[in-house]
Amino acid sequence: MTIATGPSPKPSTRPPGAESKFHHDAAIKAADDAHRTTVRRNIDTYNVAVDTGKARFSDWEAARRRCQQIKWEAVNHLDRYLVEFEENIKRRGGHVFWAASSEEARNYVLELAAARGVKTVVKSKSMVTEEVHLNPALEARGIQVWETDLGEYIVQLRDEPPYHILTPAMHLSHAQILQLFREKIPGDIEGESHEELVAAARRALRRAFFSAEMGISGANFLVADAGMVAISTNEGNGRLCTSVPPIHVVFAGIEKIIPRLQDLATLWPVLTTAGTGQFLTTYGTLIGGPRTAEEIDGPREFHLILLDNGRSRLLADIEQREVLHCIRCGACLNACPVYRNIGGHAYGTTYMGPIGSVLTPHLRGLDEYQHLSFASSLCGACSEVCPVRIDLAHHLLHNRRNAVDRTPRPWRERLAMRLWRWAMLDGRRFRMAGTLGRMALLTLYGAGAQQTKMDPLHAWTEAREAPPLAPVSFHDRWRRSHGKH
Ligand code: SF4
């Protein structure tokens, strides 16, 4: 990491809003035991399923490496594969729109909806539509939007954004969902069991599927050589959204491209195993355009929006380009000790957890979102679980370095870092610093300073108990047992 010891950093135009809100919301969530219990229970259930799923692979690590290669090839040849994909879609009568920004993507859909007289839209799960804030824009034009993924439907009823990129209602208990349904869809509730709640949502959503004029979906992969959009779902809502309404619109980030249909044979099971522990989801759908003359169902119009929104900038950054390899499985969120404690909403971003902390400063600006890079213990659990082997911990460090380069740090922090560097570069200095630090802490704690404002570790010990200082330092114990070195 680069410490700001050189020329004065460029002045930052950094607004304080996102950072202070993050710290405020994170502190509240971290102290909410009921919330943490629900989230941990759900993640622990997920972990068991994923471990079982990985055991189905004869060599999980080899599968990860293959996925990494596929995504590397795709991202490093985006120009070629995206054009190949576009030509295939157009050949079958589909429309492809290249959106440079969220605004362009939203406007395309709004104009299409206005031109076709759309009053109702059904959506299957799509984080990209969250990224461009599509629902509020449609609703502002008087269009009713139905999220049809069960988790998305639940958070939409609560007027909340998704809590997790794969399991949007992970933070809610059965009792909370029952209460919500009683308030929001009372006529449809016939019982209290999980099955009855699912049935109630199904009845409400069925009506929407058959009245909507437009279906909107995301895409898990865009297959270049076949010109196909690949979608994984478990509830069948994806197929209904993409085949019942007369117009189907797909939202996809440009990084979703993969070169060949055969790549799905590895990517699909790896995505679903890392995401939910399933070898494959219940429904795997491939869509290549509007209904043909021989087909009896399917949309009459097919539109695909390829969203850039900052991704080309990331592509141009050789150090961090591999962040575009992400297949949005959500595994890094579940592995992250910070996410497990503060949850998804505290981040205040579309993409949360480690991938969100890495990606958001690129999509929404480093000035406003640099604090996310520091919301990590750098334990590396995210890098270990990532099925496409993105070294997320490393990218968090890159973002920190870039943040430090851009934003003047407090003089105390700069001084502390200089001293730390000075001590770490020499064994004798390191030992001397350790001895002085121990002596200072023992003196202060002997005078009763522990967990008071006098404690130099006060910020850390405010919310937790510091372990007592060991009577003998690790270095001294090592020297005694292994001899002088
Ligand atoms: S960074 Fe890796 S683990 Fe995290 S969501 Fe993306 S693919 Fe999954």
Side-chain angles (χ1 to χ4, degrees):
M1 186 166 72
T2 306
I3 312 303
T5 53
S8 301
K10 293 180 262 341
S12 168
T13 54
R14 188 176 179 213
E19 179 171 359
S20 46
K21 184 169 183 337
F22 170 75
H23 286 139
H24 173 263
D25 293 354
I28 290 176
K29 285 299 176 192
D32 183 341
D33 282 339
H35 169 262
R36 284 168 56 174
T37 303
T38 305
V39 171
R40 285 178 185 202
R41 189 178 52 234
N42 289 338
I43 290 180
D44 289 345
T45 308
Y46 152 90
N47 285 339
V48 171
V50 170
D51 287 345
T52 310
K54 286 179 182 171
R56 285 196 209 103
F57 283 74
S58 56
D59 190 338
W60 171 249
E61 289 307 315
R64 284 177 79 206
R65 282 196 297 277
R66 180 67 195 129
C67 291
Q68 182 185 26
Q69 287 165 356
I70 295 168
K71 288 299 295 185
W72 185 94
E73 182 188 350
V75 166
N76 283 276
H77 299 92
L78 264 191
D79 50 347
R80 171 150 58 91
Y81 289 126
L82 281 170
V83 170
E84 183 184 355
F85 173 77
E86 179 188 29
E87 285 168 357
N88 281 328
I89 292 285
K90 284 183 170 171
R91 192 167 39 77
R92 294 200 204 91
H95 303 269
V96 177
F97 179 69
W98 297 74
S101 64
S102 295
E103 193 184 6
E104 284 187 15
R106 280 195 310 268
N107 287 345
Y108 183 85
V109 176
L110 292 175
E111 283 167 22
L112 181 66
R116 304 291 188 273
V118 172
K119 300 270 185 309
T120 306
V121 166
V122 281
K123 285 181 66 210
S124 73
K125 189 160 173 21
S126 159
M127 290 307 289
V128 169
T129 59
E130 298 288 337
E131 179 184 329
V132 305
H133 305 294
L134 182 65
N135 288 12
L138 288 167
E139 284 160 0
R141 297 285 178 96
I143 297 170
Q144 190 176 16
V145 181
W146 291 81
E147 293 289 352
T148 65
D149 170 271
L150 182 58
E152 291 279 355
Y153 176 64
I154 291 168
V155 292
Q156 187 186 31
L157 288 179
R158 284 170 63 93
D159 204 15
E160 278 179 354
Y163 183 87
H164 186 284
I165 59 178
L166 203 71
T167 44
M170 169 195 267
H171 57 308
L172 299 174
S173 64
H174 174 261
Q176 286 172 301
I177 296 169
L178 175 62
Q179 177 66 23
L180 176 74
F181 278 23
R182 280 186 173 143
E183 286 167 15
K184 301 286 180 165
I185 47 173
D188 269 321
I189 306 287
E190 292 176 359
E192 296 190 355
S193 67
H194 290 90
E195 290 76 12
E196 295 287 357
L197 294 184
V198 171
R202 194 164 179 266
R203 281 190 291 276
L205 292 171
R206 280 274 154 175
R207 293 191 283 272
F209 283 124
F210 291 98
S211 62
E213 300 90 1
M214 180 184 280
I216 295 179
S217 74
N220 293 107
F221 301 103
L222 306 174
V223 187
D225 70 347
M228 291 279 176
V229 177
I231 301 174
S232 291
T233 62
N234 271 317
E235 299 159 20
N237 63 308
R239 285 205 179 155
L240 286 166
C241 279
T242 57
S243 58
V244 177
I247 306 168
H248 175 202
V249 181
V250 181
F251 268 76
I254 54 175
E255 81 285 6
K256 293 283 179 163
I257 201 84
I258 60 170
R260 295 159 295 267
L261 192 59
Q262 70 197 51
D263 297 328
L264 276 182
T266 314
L267 280 165
W268 236 343
V270 166
L271 166 66
T272 52
T273 297
T276 60
Q278 297 165 282
F279 190 68
L280 284 176
T281 50
T282 312
Y283 300 92
T285 307
L286 288 167
I287 304 162
R291 166 200 310 199
T292 62
E294 296 80 45
E295 289 173 323
I296 57 167
D297 57 14
R300 287 194 297 273
E301 280 187 57
F302 178 86
H303 299 257
L304 191 135
I305 299 173
L306 286 171
L307 181 71
D308 185 326
N309 205 29
R311 288 161 174 81
S312 312
R313 268 199 313 275
L314 189 49
L315 185 68
D317 181 343
I318 294 174
E319 259 183 350
Q320 296 202 266
R321 179 182 295 171
E322 73 158 353
V323 176
L324 293 172
H325 295 188
C326 175
I327 54 175
R328 305 282 190 269
C329 70
C332 57
L333 281 62
N334 299 333
C336 177
V338 175
Y339 181 88
R340 285 170 71 102
N341 282 297
I342 67 170
H345 289 153
Y347 287 83
T349 54
T350 304
Y351 305 104
M352 56 296 279
I355 183 60
S357 296
V358 169
L359 188 59
T360 306
H362 292 278
L363 300 186
R364 290 164 75 168
L366 182 63
D367 278 339
E368 197 172 353
Y369 289 95
Q370 58 175 262
H371 58 278
L372 296 177
S373 320
F374 298 87
S376 167
S377 63
L378 298 179
C379 67
C382 48
S383 305
E384 269 176 36
V385 297
C386 176
V388 287
R389 293 165 52 93
I390 301 173
D391 192 349
L392 290 153
H394 201 70
H395 293 296
L396 286 166
L397 271 176
H398 277 303
N399 281 359
R400 284 189 191 185
R401 180 205 56 199
N402 295 342
V404 168
D405 282 348
R406 281 177 70 88
T407 311
R409 312 307 297 176
W411 70 266
R412 277 188 294 253
E413 183 181 324
R414 293 207 306 278
L415 178 65
M417 285 304 200
R418 280 185 190 173
L419 287 172
W420 180 82
R421 182 174 184 275
W422 176 81
M424 292 298 285
L425 286 174
D426 181 281
R428 278 170 309 171
R429 295 200 295 247
F430 174 72
R431 283 194 292 281
M432 185 181 72
T435 305
L436 288 175
R438 283 177 61 76
M439 283 168 58
L441 280 179
L442 287 169
T443 309
L444 279 167
Y445 290 171
Q450 193 158 14
Q451 289 175 338
T452 70
K453 296 272 183 200
M454 292 290 291
D455 187 347
L457 304 178
H458 171 70
W460 196 80
T461 55
E462 207 172 39
R464 55 184 77 73
E465 280 191 18
L469 274 179
V472 182
S473 73
F474 175 76
H475 179 263
D476 287 341
R477 282 177 60 190
W478 181 274
R479 200 164 46 173
R480 280 178 207 169
S481 58
H482 290 75
K484 207 169 171 161
H485 59 94

